[in-house]
Amino acid sequence: VDDSLATSRVAQSINFVATTTVWVYAWWGGLMGRRAAMSPFPEGDSLLTVGFKRLYKTCVRIYKNHRALASFYPAIAFSESAT
């Protein structure tokens, strides 16, 4: 019984690696083409800081313009984590 369990785990690991490699190559290499940037990248900022700044601006915009969503999103996040 132990040999079949070990064999199935190895087979599943190989299957995962092979399938993921094929899908990533097909998606990134074949399906996603080049395109121009949607917004300019600020000089002197890193990709990490730009992402957090944009996330903050989005949160502020949601809080100011869409009050119902500002309470709905955290409620959904916390209710899902509680179940």
Side-chain angles (χ1 to χ4, degrees):
V1 176
D2 290 337
D3 289 338
S4 64
L5 181 63
T7 303
S8 64
R9 286 181 177 172
V10 169
Q12 184 64 34
S13 300
I14 292 171
N15 184 20
F16 172 76
V17 170
T19 306
T20 303
T21 303
V22 168
W23 277 105
V24 167
Y25 176 74
W27 180 256
W28 224 261
L31 298 176
M32 293 194 50
R34 286 250 190 242
R35 66 179 182 91
M38 298 207 40
S39 60
F41 191 78
E43 191 70 32
D45 281 344
S46 72
L47 191 59
L48 183 68
T49 58
V50 169
F52 279 114
K53 287 178 184 177
R54 289 184 183 170
L55 180 63
Y56 175 76
K57 288 179 184 177
T58 301
C59 290
V60 168
R61 190 177 324 129
I62 287 173
Y63 184 76
K64 286 183 179 179
N65 299 327
H66 309 286
R67 284 293 186 133
L69 287 179
S71 59
F72 176 73
Y73 285 150
I76 290 296
F78 291 126
S79 68
E80 286 296 320
S81 66
T83 58

